[in-house]
Amino acid sequence: MSQCSSVWSFNPFSGQAWTGWRRAALQVCVAGVVGVTACGTSWAATLEGQHFDDTVVLGQQKLQLNGLGLRGVAWVKAFVAGLYVTTPSQDAGALLAESGPRRLRLKIMLQAPSSELTKSLLRRVKRHETPEAQARLAERLDQFAAQLDGLGELMPGDVVDMDYLPAKGLVLSRNGKVAGKPVAGDDLYRAVLQIFVGEHAIDPRMKQGLLGAPV
């Protein structure tokens, strides 16, 4: 397995170990504050050559880019993540509590099987959620995991969206093509989003970038 594949396989989500790499090599780059200026004018953002529009329309509602963060180690870059919300905020609790539509967009920068994302996501949900919450999520989490596995080999340039639509649930898509039926429940989406911006997020600096906060 190549170094690039190893980096992706061991940790696009999980903070457990970029096996073979020293901890000191971990390097997550983040965008600065992205959002609305005092006069109400917004702008688009680019991080590591990955462009994100300042707004998107989801479920007939306009969402604004809250922030960007790069997940990578040393010179190897896995993806840039962007978070879109109805009301930008630097408060993770407020974003997690929001009931409206949201979009977590990953712009892929490294070839890897989507099953590696699935494994990491399941590990993180198990670590973050209580046994009671895990029991409530189990069937739906399995459904979402199967959809994520079904994306197959991810390639540089691919765009993976994890959307939340209140009337439908979590909708997964790759390059604009929906992968399976929506999975109901804002609790499921919150469990996924917590991996990025929750109290025990995968990486504090990436969390700050997605929150649009200075680092």
Side-chain angles (χ1 to χ4, degrees), residues 68-84:
L68 301 178
L70 168 72
R71 189 59 176 162
V73 60
W75 63 89
V76 182
K77 300 158 187 175
F79 59 80
V80 173
L83 177 62
Y84 289 89

Side-chain angles (χ1 to χ4, degrees), residues 30-36 42-45 47 52-56 62-69 81-96 98 101-105 189 193 196-197 206-214:
V30 294
V33 177
V34 179
V36 182
S42 59
W43 60 87
L47 180 60
F52 287 73
D53 292 334
D54 58 345
T55 63
V56 297
K62 182 182 288 187
L63 305 184
Q64 298 182 56
L65 182 62
N66 201 74
L68 301 178
L83 177 62
Y84 289 89
V85 296
T86 54
T87 305
S89 174
Q90 293 184 14
D91 182 351
L95 295 175
L96 290 167
E98 188 173 316
R102 281 155 288 172
R103 166 169 288 172
L104 182 63
R105 168 163 285 182
Y189 196 81
L193 192 55
F196 293 85
V197 300
M206 189 174 193
K207 172 181 174 177
Q208 285 183 290
L210 290 171
L211 294 179

Side-chain angles (χ1 to χ4, degrees), residues 116-190:
E116 297 300 337
L117 284 175
T118 307
K119 293 173 186 176
S120 296
L121 182 144
L122 293 175
R123 283 198 301 267
R124 300 300 294 189
V125 170
K126 185 176 181 180
R127 176 179 296 180
H128 293 167
E129 302 295 331
T130 66
E132 293 77 15
Q134 290 180 50
R136 290 193 301 270
L137 292 168
E139 184 176 346
R140 290 171 293 144
L141 189 59
D142 286 347
Q143 184 180 345
F144 177 63
Q147 292 179 357
L148 196 54
D149 276 351
L151 296 182
E153 193 78 4
L154 296 175
M155 303 294 293
D158 280 347
V159 178
V160 176
D161 288 327
M162 300 179 192
D163 295 339
Y164 176 69
L165 292 164
K168 296 182 178 181
L170 195 164
V171 179
L172 177 69
S173 63
R174 176 184 185 179
N175 300 329
K177 183 178 181 180
V178 175
K181 297 180 180 179
V183 187
D186 63 349
D187 55 343
L188 174 61
Y189 196 81
R190 190 176 299 112

Side-chain angles (χ1 to χ4, degrees), residues 1-14 16-21 72-73 76-78 110-113 116 120 123:
M1 182 180 290
S2 69
Q3 283 186 328
C4 291
S5 297
S6 296
V7 167
W8 179 280
S9 298
F10 283 105
N11 194 355
F13 285 105
S14 172
Q16 284 188 340
W18 298 78
T19 298
W21 295 88
V73 60
V76 182
K77 300 158 187 175
L110 185 71
Q111 181 177 352
E116 297 300 337
S120 296
R123 283 198 301 267

